[in-house]
């Protein structure tokens, strides 16, 4: 192939990536229509939030999905990847509120609901387009014609249908309960939106005066003194003999001067604190449950902003932690503070803003989970949906066993508004699939519930709402259930569980066959990437510097399912070297394909040809099997080793004489044909990982499809697999490696030819005799003697023993004894001089007495090292005298 038809000397990722992505999009290669005659393969993207930039976790997650999609597309499946993004209710609202406050000094309340929601839609338009552009930079091959948004018309209709259906079944209800409350975001949170972090904390021991017993107290221990004004009882365990006689008595609540009872309840832990606990029903979920059993009053003393209410008496208006300090101070002054102990404990924080949450009584909307759990549990237990790795099955099932009713209402404006209306005239509560302007019961005026739904409510419907449900579309019929969900272990409970619940309830089928779990991308020190640590890495900046293929391949190789991975810049450099290796090898191949004709008359295959073709079949089979088991990292490593370690390092080197025409045109045609076959096959195997460079090379090679991404996936051809050939070639390669290593050990000039003696087993003799040219070529051997394995071993020769082959290199032919002796004597003299200096130090008592221990030890280590080197050189010099 003439130079002008070859690929450029240097690989330029930026130009290649832009060109081929536009080509793929223009030709609609990502798009798929339902085809009942073909096996479907479906993935729905975990929709990224419209809160800003994609991070390295997105890069990993989407690369994993794209590898599976590109592979199945090449396998001929009816392959589709549904894209989209999530409105991310609370997270997005916080972002927009922060921006409005920063730029305009206003709150959402200043703007009003309608205007604020308009602002968020404008934010969505800006960032959703950016997210799509970022995904395209990653080479993601989603069907962009089918992009969806969790607040679009179709998804909104699905949300209404699910909400009203569950409401009509009595599975959605409105109730007043203790909920997790974020005082910063001003909304309720579900249990899984609360992150528990270890807090240093304290345990305050406080004396509560016993009514009618002058000078007697009941000592309680608490981690939250600020809730004391809301206490309505003190509880002890009925089995605790220390307090049995006090049950039924009353105490005077310190500071508030309110009388409350001493009650008995099995819940009380006799080992915690003093075994007597304050009960604050309005601010602790366990206390709340106890209050229902014991018929206790719930007094709210902390409001939704984290400010003390009028029920807290003189602490009204104080911030909760300011109140804590003041109450402790007051108790101390009253002589009721017994002691303070350090008490590390887990404190719940808002997942979005990081503020410590409050347990507050509020009226919210809930989904009854218990009736919905069985189907979503059974489908995992019986294997209809499988977790990869399997160990996450136990995590999922354990969490499902302990799931409480799901609080689905949020006190926010951005999101799916609760589709419930209240009649101002007759008081009716109506859940409706369509908006109401009057009461369907009395015709009176209605108003809609102010709250919005938890983001995860609409996300839970994603696998079927994205396909047009509740309409029974052809797309839904063909592509549901989806084939695999790829996601991180950190949202199994947020998202995966809820999709299984909703899928089983509304589709009566699983939403996905398998859940492929990956870990987090951490920095080189193993830390989670975060803004606070400043260790985040922007994938787009990496792509700009190294190219998309390099980032993708680095993220995947060395990554095992379910485990976290570390981002190493050194691995990125190594992967770029791999891309350059592929490029240079392909460029060499293309330079030597001039005059190539697929149907040209060819000479019979040589051993190297048979070997690389056989290995190609092995690798194709291995990679396919590994991908099928979701061992994507190992599959990538297998392709890497094949391309670099076998095609580049061995096969191309072995066929150079034939490519240069030294063995005739028919032999050249054979080498060309095999090189095209294996290089094309290797590019196909690598394509899911490195789509751009493989497309560029594929297009330059002789090819029969418009794009590598719609070419056929390599399948192993048993007719080309030959283990005997592989064994013979491996033996020759081992012999070459041995000769190269021995030459290196004695610093033989690479250009110098050396003789070699090979003792070979009967089984391998013919292979070595017929292919001796390979050893002459790649080991730079001139005279080579082949002897039986039973022959006498040569003397004065370096030796290397392999299975079935012993390699000997006569030393006289390798080195100039006189020159090598002089070099070694010079090195010996230098070592002896250093040894004399170190020995002098170690024999100096003054040095030994004054020098730090580590300095002395360092000198002793030097002495040992020099002694070992001197011994080795002396032995070598003695040996040279015998030659």
């Amino acid at each position: 192939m003439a130079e002008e038809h070859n690929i450029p000397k240097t690989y330029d990722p930026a130009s290649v990536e832009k060109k081929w992505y536009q080509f793929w999009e223009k030709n609609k290669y990502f798009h798929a229509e339902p085809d009942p005659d073909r096996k479907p393969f479906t993935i729905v993207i975990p929709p990224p939030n419209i809160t800003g930039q994609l991070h390295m976790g997105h890069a990993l997650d989407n690369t994993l999905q794209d590898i599976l999609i590109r592979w199945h597309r090449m396998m001929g499946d009816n392959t589709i990847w549904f894209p989209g993004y999530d409105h991310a209710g609370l997270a997005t609202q916080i972002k927009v509120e922060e921006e409005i406050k920063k730029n305009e000094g206003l709150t959402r309340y200043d703007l009003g609901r309608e205007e604020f929601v308009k602002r968020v839609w404008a934010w969505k338009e800006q960032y959703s387009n950016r997210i799509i552009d970022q995904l395209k930079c990653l080479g993601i091959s989603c069907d962009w014609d089918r992009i969806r948004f969790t607040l679009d018309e179709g998804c909104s209709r699905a949300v209404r249908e699910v909400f009203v259906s569950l409401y009509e079944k009595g599975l959605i209800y409105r109730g007043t309960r203790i909920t997790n409350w974020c005082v910063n975001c001003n909304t309720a949170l579900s249990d899984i939106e609360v992150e528990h972090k270890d807090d240093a904390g304290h345990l305050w021991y406080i004396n509560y005066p016993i009514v009618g017993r002058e000078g007697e107290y009941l000592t309680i221990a608490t981690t939250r003194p600020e809730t004391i004004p809301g206490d309505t009882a003190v509880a002890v365990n009925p089995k605790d003999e220390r307090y049995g006689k006090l049950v039924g008595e009353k105490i005077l609540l310190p500071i508030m001067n309110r009388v409350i009872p001493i009650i008995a309840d099995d819940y009380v832990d006799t080992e915690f604190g003093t075994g007597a606990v304050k009960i604050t029903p309005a601010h602790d979920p366990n206390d709340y449950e106890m209050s229902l059993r014991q018929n206790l009053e719930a007094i709210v003393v902390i409001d939704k902003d984290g400010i003390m209410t009028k029920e807290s008496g003189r602490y009204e208006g104080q911030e909760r932690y300011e109140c804590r300090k003041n109450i402790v101070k007051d108790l101390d002054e009253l002589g009721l503070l017994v002691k303070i102990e350090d008490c590390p404990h887990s404190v719940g924080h808002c997942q979005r803003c990081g503020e410590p949450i409050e347990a507050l009584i509020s009226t919210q909307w809930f989904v009854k989970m218990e009736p919905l759990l069985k189907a979503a549990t059974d489908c995992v237990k019986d294997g209809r949906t499988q977790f990869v790795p399997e160990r996450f099955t136990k995590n999922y099932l354990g969490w499902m066993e302990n799931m409480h009713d799901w609080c689905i209402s949020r006190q926010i404006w951005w999101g799916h508004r609760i589709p419930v209306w209240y009649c101002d005239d007759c008081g009716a509560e109506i859940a409706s699939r369509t908006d109401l302007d009057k009461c369907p019961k009395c015709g009176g005026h209605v108003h809609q519930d102010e709250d919005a739904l938890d983001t995860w409510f609409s996300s839970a419907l994603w696998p079927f709402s994205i396909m047009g449900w509740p309409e029974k579309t052809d797309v839904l019929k063909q592509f549901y259930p989806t084939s695999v969900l790829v996601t991180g272990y950190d949202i199994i409970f947020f998202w995966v569980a809820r999709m299984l619940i909703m899928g089983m309830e509304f589709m009566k089928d699983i939403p996905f066959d398998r859940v492929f779990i990956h870990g987090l991308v951490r920095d080189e020190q193993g830390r989670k990437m975060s803004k606070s640590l400043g260790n985040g890495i922007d994938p787009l900046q990496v792509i700009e510097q190294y190219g998309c293929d390099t980032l993708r391949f680095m993220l995947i190789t060395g990554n095992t399912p379910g485990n976290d991975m570390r981002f190493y810049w050194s691995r990125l450099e190594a992967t770029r070297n791999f891309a350059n290796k592929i490029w240079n090898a392909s460029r060499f191949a293309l330079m030597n394909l001039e005059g190539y004709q697929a149907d040209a008359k060819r000479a019979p295959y040589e051993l190297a040809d048979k070997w690389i073709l056989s290995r190609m079949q092995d690798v194709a089979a291995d990679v396919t099997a590994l991908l099928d088991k979701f061992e994507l990292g190992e599959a990538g490593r297998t392709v890497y080793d094949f391309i670099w370690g076998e095609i580049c390092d061995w096969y191309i080197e072995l066929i150079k004489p034939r490519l240069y025409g030294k063995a005739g045109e028919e032999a050249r045609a054979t080498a060309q044909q095999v090189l095209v076959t294996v290089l094309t096959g290797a590019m196909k195997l690598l394509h899911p990982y490195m789509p751009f460079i493989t497309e560029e090379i594929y297009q330059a090679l002789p090819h029969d499809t418009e794009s590598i991404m719609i070419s056929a996936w390599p399948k192993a051809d048993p007719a080309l697999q030959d283990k005997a050939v592989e064994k013979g070639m491996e033996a020759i390669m081992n012999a070459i490696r041995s000769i190269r290593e021995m030459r290196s050990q004695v610093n033989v000039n690479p250009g110098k030819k050396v003789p070699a003696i090979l003792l070979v087993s009967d089984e391998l003799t013919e292979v070595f005799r017929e292919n001796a040219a390979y050893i002459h070529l790649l080991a730079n051997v001139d005279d080579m003697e082949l002897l039986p394995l039973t022959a006498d071993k040569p003397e004065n020769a370096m030796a290397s023993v392999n299975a079935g082959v012993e390699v000997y290199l006569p030393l006289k032919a390798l080195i100039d004894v006189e020159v090598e002796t002089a070099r070694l004597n010079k090195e010996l003299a230098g070592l002896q001089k250093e040894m004399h200096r170190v020995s002098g130090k170690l024999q100096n008592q003054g040095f030994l007495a004054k020098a730090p221990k580590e300095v002395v030890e360092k000198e002793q280590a030097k002495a040992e090292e020099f002694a070992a080197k001197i011994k080795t050189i002396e032995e070598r010099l003695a040996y040279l005298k015998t030659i």
Side-chain angles (χ1 to χ4, degrees):
M1 182 176 284
E3 178 67 26
E4 61 267 22
H5 298 301
N6 201 353
I7 56 179
K9 288 184 179 180
T10 305
Y11 178 51
D12 177 23
S15 61
V16 168
E17 289 165 10
K18 183 177 180 180
K19 173 180 67 176
W20 290 121
Y21 203 91
Q22 290 175 346
F23 173 76
W24 295 331
E25 281 199 285
K26 179 182 176 182
N27 287 280
K28 298 285 186 181
Y29 294 143
F30 302 158
H31 182 67
E33 291 291 341
D35 184 351
D37 295 329
R38 292 160 63 205
K39 176 186 174 185
F41 183 82
T42 319
I43 290 179
V44 294
I45 197 170
N49 295 345
I50 57 162
T51 50
Q53 294 283 109
L54 297 183
H55 52 67
M56 201 57 73
H58 291 115
L60 171 63
D61 186 78
N62 284 285
T63 298
L64 289 167
Q65 292 173 82
D66 197 47
I67 289 170
L68 295 171
I69 284 289
R70 288 180 182 272
W71 170 46
H72 279 274
R73 191 183 286 125
M74 295 173 76
M75 289 279 283
D77 294 339
N78 192 192
T79 304
I80 191 167
W81 185 5
F82 290 92
Y85 33 87
D86 197 306
H87 68 281
L90 178 57
T92 302
Q93 176 164 305
I94 291 171
K95 286 275 188 181
V96 178
E97 283 189 282
E98 288 173 349
E99 187 173 82
I100 292 171
K101 186 175 183 179
K102 177 183 176 183
N103 297 334
E104 304 174 49
L106 301 176
T107 69
R108 62 180 164 123
Y109 301 104
D110 295 324
L111 296 175
R113 185 168 194 149
E114 185 177 348
E115 175 60 26
F116 178 76
V117 170
K118 282 183 182 178
R119 300 286 190 95
V120 189
W121 274 107
W123 170 285
K124 176 263 176 187
E125 292 304 317
Q126 177 184 352
Y127 283 98
S128 62
N129 292 333
R130 183 199 291 188
I131 287 168
I132 299 307
D133 290 341
Q134 291 172 340
L135 289 171
K136 290 180 178 180
C137 286
L138 286 166
I140 301 310
S141 59
C142 287
D143 187 343
W144 299 114
D145 294 338
R146 301 187 185 278
I147 192 164
R148 298 296 299 273
F149 177 48
T150 52
L151 269 179
D152 66 26
E153 185 179 347
C155 289
S156 295
R157 184 181 172 197
V159 166
R160 285 275 184 100
E161 179 62 35
V162 168
F163 184 97
V164 177
S165 295
L166 292 173
Y167 181 88
E168 291 171 344
K169 294 177 183 178
L171 295 177
I172 281 184
Y173 64 94
R174 190 167 183 248
T176 301
R177 284 178 36 184
I178 277 275
T179 53
N180 303 301
W181 186 269
C182 177
V183 300
N184 182 54
C185 301
N186 264 163
T187 183
L189 304 172
S190 66
D191 289 343
I192 58 174
E193 290 173 298
V194 177
E195 289 185 345
H196 290 273
K197 302 176 184 178
D198 288 337
D199 183 4
H202 297 90
L203 197 58
W204 287 269
Y205 287 80
I206 302 162
N207 278 339
Y208 281 26
I210 302 174
V211 175
R213 298 192 183 190
E214 188 68 29
E216 292 189 36
Y217 302 91
L218 181 57
T219 306
I220 64 95
T222 181
T223 60
R224 303 203 62 201
E226 66 273 20
T227 64
I228 287 176
D231 290 358
T232 56
V234 169
V236 297
N237 193 299
K239 298 174 184 175
D240 193 334
E241 296 178 357
R242 294 174 294 174
Y243 304 118
K245 62 183 179 180
L246 292 178
V247 175
E249 297 285 338
K250 297 189 181 298
I251 62 168
L252 185 65
L253 183 63
I255 298 169
M256 303 304 293
N257 293 321
R258 188 173 73 245
V259 174
I260 60 176
I262 299 173
I263 63 174
D265 197 283
D266 289 329
Y267 172 76
V268 177
D269 181 0
T270 59
E271 300 299 320
F272 178 78
T274 64
V277 296
K278 58 192 280 308
I279 305 302
T280 319
H283 298 286
D284 182 278
N286 297 312
D287 291 2
Y288 180 74
E289 293 298 323
M290 190 186 297
S291 75
L292 298 179
R293 293 193 298 271
Q294 302 276 359
N295 196 29
L296 299 174
E297 181 184 5
I299 301 175
V300 177
V301 295
I302 301 175
D303 71 12
K304 293 179 178 180
D305 294 313
I307 304 300
M308 304 306 292
T309 68
K310 64 179 181 180
E311 281 74 17
S312 64
R314 65 176 179 271
Y315 304 103
E316 179 183 1
Q318 296 182 11
E319 190 274 332
R320 53 183 170 161
Y321 293 122
E322 177 193 5
C323 174
R324 173 185 290 182
K325 293 177 182 177
N326 290 332
I327 286 180
V328 170
K329 178 173 174 287
D330 291 346
L331 289 169
D332 191 25
E333 290 177 354
L334 290 170
L336 298 176
L337 182 63
V338 179
K339 62 177 179 177
I340 304 173
E341 288 182 350
D342 290 336
C343 180
H345 62 288
S346 182
V347 176
H349 293 71
C350 174
Q351 186 201 42
R352 298 298 180 189
C353 71
E355 190 75 12
I357 63 105
E358 281 292 339
L360 297 182
I361 291 178
S362 62
T363 300
Q364 305 291 342
W365 286 93
F366 297 89
V367 176
K368 287 183 181 178
M369 300 306 291
E370 196 278 331
L372 299 170
L373 294 180
K374 187 176 187 303
T377 301
D378 288 347
C379 68
V380 172
K381 286 181 177 178
D382 62 26
R384 279 174 287 162
T385 290
Q386 298 175 3
F387 282 83
V388 180
E390 197 276 334
R391 69 177 184 270
F392 288 102
T393 302
K394 184 178 180 181
N395 295 13
Y396 169 82
L397 293 175
W399 188 76
M400 294 289 274
E401 289 175 2
N402 298 296
M403 186 185 282
H404 300 121
D405 284 359
W406 174 14
C407 176
I408 56 171
S409 50
R410 298 290 180 271
Q411 287 62 56
I412 58 176
W413 292 350
W414 173 246
H416 294 279
R417 195 166 172 180
I418 301 282
V420 172
W421 282 258
Y422 307 100
C423 180
D424 298 330
D425 297 321
C426 72
E429 176 184 284
I430 311 107
S432 176
R433 293 172 174 83
T434 57
D435 287 353
L436 299 180
D437 54 13
K438 62 181 180 180
C439 178
K441 296 183 179 180
C442 73
H445 182 267
V446 294
H447 67 276
Q448 189 176 356
D449 195 297
E450 291 290 321
D451 291 349
L453 285 166
D454 178 10
T455 295
W456 297 104
F457 191 92
S458 51
S459 300
L461 319 181
W462 190 244
F464 51 90
S465 67
I466 203 171
M467 300 185 199
W469 187 90
E471 295 295 327
K472 296 179 180 178
T473 65
D474 290 340
V475 170
L476 189 66
K477 182 179 178 182
Q478 173 73 354
F479 295 113
Y480 188 94
T482 65
S483 306
V484 59
L485 175 76
V486 181
T487 190
Y489 59 68
D490 53 333
I491 58 171
I492 291 176
F493 311 131
F494 283 99
W495 191 40
V496 179
R498 286 166 177 171
M499 284 189 287
L500 281 160
I501 288 167
M502 293 301 189
M504 294 304 296
E505 175 66 16
F506 288 94
M507 298 300 296
K508 306 305 177 187
D509 200 355
I510 56 172
F512 22 74
D513 297 328
R514 285 180 281 191
V515 183
F516 177 29
I517 300 295
H518 61 77
L520 306 178
V521 181
R522 298 183 178 275
D523 69 8
E524 292 193 6
Q525 299 175 44
R527 300 175 302 174
K528 187 175 181 179
M529 292 185 180
S530 68
K531 288 183 181 178
S532 60
L533 291 174
N535 62 345
I537 299 170
D538 183 351
L540 297 187
Q541 290 183 359
V542 175
I543 288 171
E544 187 176 338
Q545 184 177 354
Y546 289 90
C548 173
D549 288 334
T550 296
L551 174 61
R552 286 170 60 115
F553 198 77
M554 186 281 291
L555 285 172
I556 301 307
T557 48
N559 180 17
T560 54
N563 294 325
D564 291 347
M565 66 160 293
R566 296 191 182 188
F567 186 100
Y568 291 104
W569 289 100
S570 58
R571 287 188 58 229
L572 204 58
E573 294 283 353
T575 306
R576 180 165 62 180
N577 292 341
F578 176 53
N580 290 335
K581 183 78 170 182
I582 296 168
W583 187 259
N584 293 333
S586 299
R587 192 170 190 279
F588 170 82
L590 291 164
M591 288 176 63
N592 288 279
L593 288 181
E594 187 171 358
Y596 171 76
Q597 293 180 354
D599 57 355
K601 187 176 181 181
R602 300 193 294 266
Y605 287 149
E606 290 189 3
L607 177 68
D609 305 323
K610 295 176 183 177
W611 165 72
I612 199 68
L613 288 171
S614 182
R615 288 293 302 132
M616 177 73 205
Q617 313 317 306
D618 296 342
V619 171
D622 291 346
V623 169
T624 301
L626 288 166
L627 288 173
D628 197 49
K629 293 188 294 185
F630 296 94
E631 294 284 354
L632 275 60
E634 186 62 15
R637 186 198 62 77
T638 301
V639 179
Y640 174 98
D641 290 345
F642 178 61
I643 293 174
W644 191 313
E646 296 181 281
I647 296 178
C648 296
D649 285 356
W650 288 100
Y651 185 68
I652 288 178
E653 296 300 319
L654 287 166
I655 64 172
K656 279 182 176 178
R658 284 189 286 162
L659 288 176
Y660 298 157
K662 295 180 179 180
E665 284 304 309
E666 291 184 9
R668 181 170 184 265
T670 299
Q672 288 179 325
Q673 184 265 332
V674 175
L675 181 57
V676 167
T677 299
V678 297
L679 196 54
T680 302
M683 291 304 101
K684 290 183 179 183
L685 292 173
L686 185 62
H687 175 72
Y689 295 84
M690 303 177 78
F692 294 107
I693 193 172
T694 53
E695 182 74 271
E696 180 78 359
I697 292 169
Y698 178 83
Q699 295 286 347
L701 289 167
H703 56 280
D704 54 10
T705 56
E706 293 178 349
S707 169
I708 192 171
M709 69 179 292
I710 58 170
S711 65
W713 181 256
K715 295 182 180 178
D717 181 355
L720 292 174
Q721 288 179 293
D722 192 327
K723 292 302 175 187
V725 162
E726 291 184 33
K727 183 177 180 181
M729 189 67 208
E730 188 61 37
I732 290 176
M733 290 160 64
N734 282 335
I736 294 170
R737 291 188 189 99
S738 295
I739 295 172
R740 287 173 170 176
E741 186 177 338
M742 287 188 285
R743 290 173 60 110
S744 175
Q745 287 175 2
V746 290
N747 300 313
V748 175
N749 188 300
K752 179 180 180 180
K753 291 187 179 293
V754 298
I757 302 167
L758 274 65
L759 275 58
V760 185
S761 67
D762 293 342
E763 181 186 8
L764 295 172
T765 299
E766 186 177 350
V767 171
F768 272 77
R769 184 177 293 115
E770 291 180 353
N771 299 282
Y774 295 160
I775 301 174
H776 288 292
L777 174 67
L778 297 188
N780 208 9
V781 167
D782 47 13
D783 296 331
M784 187 171 73
E785 187 176 2
L786 287 178
L787 299 172
L789 199 57
T790 55
D792 293 336
K793 318 301 181 192
E795 295 182 357
N796 294 329
M798 297 185 74
S800 178
V801 178
N802 301 301
V805 183
E806 295 177 10
V807 182
Y808 296 89
L809 298 185
L811 279 169
K812 275 190 176 180
L814 296 177
I815 58 176
D816 185 318
V817 174
E818 191 174 323
V819 171
E820 180 67 2
T821 299
R823 185 188 71 79
L824 289 173
N825 277 321
K826 183 178 179 181
E827 186 177 348
L828 179 63
L831 286 169
Q832 288 172 333
K833 183 179 179 181
E834 285 298 309
M835 185 65 175
H836 179 73
R837 181 186 63 79
V838 172
S839 297
K841 272 189 176 183
L842 294 174
Q843 291 170 8
N844 184 329
Q845 295 301 315
F847 170 77
L848 295 175
K850 295 179 182 179
K853 180 182 178 183
E854 58 269 22
V855 173
V856 175
E857 290 176 348
K858 188 175 181 180
E859 293 300 315
Q860 289 172 335
K862 282 183 184 178
E864 292 175 5
E865 181 184 352
F866 291 147
K869 287 182 177 180
I870 288 170
K871 181 181 179 183
T872 300
I873 291 176
E874 287 175 342
E875 289 175 350
R876 180 75 174 150
L877 286 167
Y879 180 71
L880 288 173
K881 290 179 181 179
T882 67
I883 300 176

